[in-house]
């Protein structure tokens, strides 16, 4: 089956439009979720003043930790879990969540380090390629100059052969 280029272009345009709409929808949803987490954080913080028992405070810190964790605020989540464990050191769920948040932070740091290493490697490769290109350019330039010089020498020799220099002696 033959598909005309114009039809292909229309299909590509439709796919691009769909992809853009999906990305925009995902971004909007992410913003809405972030806003809800921020609202939840404020509610948990406000509820702290209403907490009447240490157990309630521990649960609030635990929930704060969860909210921070869901919004990828790992350092804050770790701090909240630690506060909950200061109040209730036997809370296994908080211990698990703290362990999970610490592992997530370690993974994030490892990913950042890997990305930095990859960026450095890419930069080094680019620099090496630039140096190779410069060397190749210089070699090409040197080769051209050598060819030009050889051509000038050949031209000069031909010119001398066609127009010999007059001799100082007089022929007899």
């Amino acid at each position: 089956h033959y598909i005309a280029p114009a039809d292909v272009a229309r299909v590509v345009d439709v796919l691009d439009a769909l992809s853009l709409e999906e990305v925009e929808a995902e971004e909007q949803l992410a913003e809405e979720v972030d806003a809800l987490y921020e609202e939840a954080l404020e509610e948990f913080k406000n509820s702290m003043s209403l907490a009447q028992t240490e157990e309630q405070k521990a649960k609030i810190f635990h929930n704060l930790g969860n909210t921070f964790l869901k919004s990828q605020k790992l350092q804050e989540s770790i701090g909240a879990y630690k506060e909950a464990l200061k109040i209730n050191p036997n809370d296994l769920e908080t211990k698990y969540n703290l362990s999970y948040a610490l592992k997530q932070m370690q993974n994030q740091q490892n990913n950042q380090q890997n990305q930095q290493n990859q960026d450095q490697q890419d930069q080094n490769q680019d620099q090496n390629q630039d140096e190779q290109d410069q060397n190749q350019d210089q070699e090409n330039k040197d080769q051209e100059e050598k060819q030009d010089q050889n051509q000038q020498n050949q031209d000069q020799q031909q010119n001398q052969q066609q127009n010999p220099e007059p001799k100082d002696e007089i022929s007899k």
Side-chain angles (χ1 to χ4, degrees), residues 32-91:
E32 290 172 7
V33 168
D34 285 346
L36 289 173
Y37 280 124
E38 288 300 319
E39 187 177 321
L41 282 172
E42 289 306 312
E43 291 297 322
F44 286 130
K45 288 176 184 177
N46 291 337
S47 66
M48 190 63 75
S49 63
L50 303 174
Q52 296 176 353
T53 66
E54 292 298 302
E55 182 67 26
Q56 287 175 338
K57 287 181 183 179
K59 286 186 184 281
I60 291 170
F61 278 119
H62 176 90
N63 288 331
L64 275 171
N66 289 346
T67 304
F68 282 128
L69 184 63
K70 292 281 187 180
S71 54
Q72 295 297 308
K73 296 179 178 177
L74 298 176
Q75 193 67 44
E76 292 90 340
S77 71
I78 291 167
Y81 291 136
K82 285 181 177 180
E83 288 300 317
L85 289 171
K86 283 181 187 176
I87 297 169
N88 183 4
N90 297 322
D91 185 345

Side-chain angles (χ1 to χ4, degrees), residues 107-126:
N107 288 342
Q108 188 180 63
Q109 289 170 347
N110 289 343
N111 289 341
Q112 288 172 347
Q113 184 63 45
N114 289 341
Q115 185 62 48
Q116 288 174 351
N117 291 343
Q118 184 64 45
D119 291 346
Q120 184 64 44
Q121 191 176 20
D122 291 346
Q123 186 178 8
N124 290 343
Q125 285 177 342
D126 289 346

Side-chain angles (χ1 to χ4, degrees), residues 87-102:
I87 297 169
N88 183 4
N90 297 322
D91 185 345
L92 294 179
E93 190 176 340
T94 301
K95 286 180 180 181
Y96 174 83
N97 289 2
L98 173 60
S99 174
Y100 179 81
L102 288 166

